[in-house]
Amino acid sequence: MTDMSATPDDESLFGAPVLYSRGQKVVHPSREQYVAVLKQAIDAGYTMCSDLTAVDYLTHPGRELPSGIAAERFEVVLNLVSITERTRLRVRVQVPEADATIASCFDLWPGTEAMEREVFDMFGVRFDGHPDLTRILMPEDWEGHPLRKDYAIGRIPVQFKGANS
Amino acid sequence: MTAVENVRQTSEGAQEMRPRSELGAKELMREVGSVLRMSEAEAAQLGQMPTDDEDQTMIINMGPQHPSTHGVLRLMLELQGETVLRCKPVIGYLHTGMEKTGEDLTFLQGGTNVTRMDYLSPFNNELVFSMATEKLLGIDGDVPERAVWMRMLLSEMNRMSSHLLFLATNGMDLGAVSMMLYGWREREEVLRFFQKVTGLRMNHNFIRPGGLAADLPPGWRDDVLSILEMLPPRLEEYDILMTDQPIWRERLQGVGVITAEEALALGTSGPILRSTGVPFDLRRDMPYLHYDELEFDVIVGSYGDAFDRYAIRLNEIRESIKIVHQILDRMPSGDYRIQNKKVTPPPRARIDESMEALIHHFKIFTEGFKVPEGEVYVGIESPRGEIGCYIVSDGGPKPYRIHMRAPSFVNIQALPHMMRGGLVADAVAVISSVDPVLGDVDR
């Protein structure tokens, strides 16, 4: 188990750089480290993944990231909870636009299945190893991913299934 | 794959559950395993079920228009006789893109948006949104004492009204129609109090970044006390009507069982997690506001069945009564919102006498206030579990991204687990015991 009581100045956790956002601990693994970091987090007591979401940084590229982490368009954000330690840990992973895929954490927490589907539905980020990557909130024949920043509000006329056939 | 292709390639196939005869064992495991975590052997066994023309199983849709689905939830059930073999929830019928809308509303307007998500616990939605905004602004420690205690009062009263509605709908789903009337009746008393305080029964937009919209009205203490006096004998009545009644126990005990490991792996929270014996309540374990200064018990179950979830909610009303009594004793006087020119509009009287105040008022309500760059996540305990708010700010007056971690959305994914191997008649009891709010599921 990684030492959880390391000093706050200690810049890395599970081999990935750490930054504090308004006092909240955020770990920034690379896409390659992602699954390994999550596995170590589970071993360290973060047995619950309470939230998985994404952000599209298309129009706000400049943001504070640890050195060595290059900003990409998409960011997948996980909120982990340690029930025994009563602490939270946030994980932010950069996902490039050209290859918007990332490993699925379905094998670690089956509960992320629906959340990853929501991220896929809303942002078009694909999850490798996800058992059932289909749309979850939008109709299955919908075009586009609504929460992307280049998907304007009201830009596309309302689509109804079978309306054009 | 290029980005453009990625956008175009959107149809990943239907969300429907496909008939067993069209599936190989591998696909079956993927489909079933996606929610059930079966072993390969188990899936192979399932796949070996006879798939002749005389198909032994039947796939039916329950919902989206079904009185017991609490809104527009659709469940696809694979039945063998009356036994549920598989279940897949299909959601999205109430999706209105509220997270997208939230990106186009200022932080001051955001409350009207988030309050409509989980429409049965509006105060908790507003509270978590306001707390996240305050954390981004760096004023979360400066909120006046009275505002903090008022927030706790409203959020606990909200827990009562929400759980009372659960008792009503749970009763209705199982045929205890008198319980439905009683539950709605008692909830109405609480909503009447909300109406007196905020002007609205639901969707209040009363808790705002920096404090609250207004002070408590004159006579509020008597109103709260009359509710606190009215409820305990009524709860006793519910015990007689339902808890101790053999038919009620028969319908709920041992139905929709989920283990602690499953509940944790699926990320569930609130009464569902606590029914499995995990004593996790954010009010006690990660205290916010002044919950750490209050005496209350975290109610846990031991079997993880529908009866435990019913009993937990019933007793949480009693705990909320205990909490509200303590809040009444300790409610301080003072300001109900932060006196910070950045986020607080000037008082109405000042607008008449000062041009600057008028401009200030106008600017705050048209442009909003700028929130420094950054991102925060705040989670609190809503009646349904952990409701979280993740906000990214780019330094402007509108959130760059607002995401609500909806407890119902996560909890509803436990349905296939709870229903598997049960009877179709129990499906109604299981949905009801999860207490989903579809506005929260779909947002």
Side-chain angles (χ1 to χ4, degrees), chain B residues 234-264:
Chain B
R234 304 263 167 103
L235 295 178
E236 298 289 317
E237 225 174 277
Y238 302 164
D239 270 340
I240 298 167
L241 183 68
M242 305 198 298
T243 318
D244 297 334
Q245 193 212 64
I247 302 174
W248 185 258
R249 285 178 173 255
E250 283 289 310
R251 282 301 309 270
L252 289 180
Q253 283 180 335
V255 168
V257 177
I258 186 168
T259 67
E261 290 75 29
E262 289 167 345
L264 280 173

Side-chain angles (χ1 to χ4, degrees), chain A residues 28-102:
Chain A
H28 292 262
S30 66
R31 260 202 302 178
E32 292 72 37
Q33 289 175 311
Y34 177 58
V35 174
V37 163
L38 293 182
K39 279 185 179 150
Q40 289 180 61
I42 291 179
D43 292 341
Y46 293 99
T47 48
M48 196 168 144
C49 178
S50 77
D51 189 28
L52 187 152
T53 183
V55 184
D56 177 5
Y57 279 103
L58 180 70
T59 55
H60 175 47
R63 56 191 185 275
E64 198 192 356
L65 289 172
S67 56
I69 299 288
E72 298 284 358
R73 176 172 174 184
F74 296 109
E75 211 177 86
V76 170
V77 185
L78 280 85
N79 276 289
L80 313 182
V81 178
S82 165
I83 286 193
T84 46
E85 302 279 327
R86 300 173 180 182
T87 49
R88 288 183 193 280
L89 178 70
R90 191 150 68 241
V91 180
R92 287 168 63 185
V93 198
Q94 305 296 320
V95 180
E97 181 185 6
D99 174 32
T101 53
I102 190 167

Side-chain angles (χ1 to χ4, degrees), chain B residues 252-258 275 302-310 433:
Chain B
L252 289 180
Q253 283 180 335
V255 168
V257 177
I258 186 168
S275 75
S302 34
Y303 300 102
D305 60 1
F307 186 79
D308 274 0
R309 294 192 277 274
Y310 152 77
S433 76

Side-chain angles (χ1 to χ4, degrees), chain B residues 67-132:
Chain B
S68 75
T69 53
H70 290 232
V72 275
L73 167 68
R74 169 172 157 214
L75 292 177
M76 301 200 69
L77 302 171
E78 184 184 33
L79 302 178
Q80 186 174 42
E82 280 210 48
T83 311
V84 179
L85 296 180
R86 292 187 295 164
C87 156
K88 183 173 184 184
V90 180
I91 60 173
Y93 294 95
L94 214 57
H95 177 65
T96 48
M98 295 173 98
E99 289 183 1
K100 186 85 175 171
T101 311
E103 292 173 5
D104 213 46
L105 298 173
T106 65
F107 282 95
L108 207 58
Q109 296 167 325
T112 51
N113 186 35
V114 295
T115 192
R116 282 160 173 78
M117 288 179 177
D118 181 352
Y119 44 78
L120 295 185
S121 58
F123 283 124
N124 288 280
N125 298 10
E126 297 164 21
L127 178 59
V128 72
F129 171 76
S130 300
M131 283 168 66

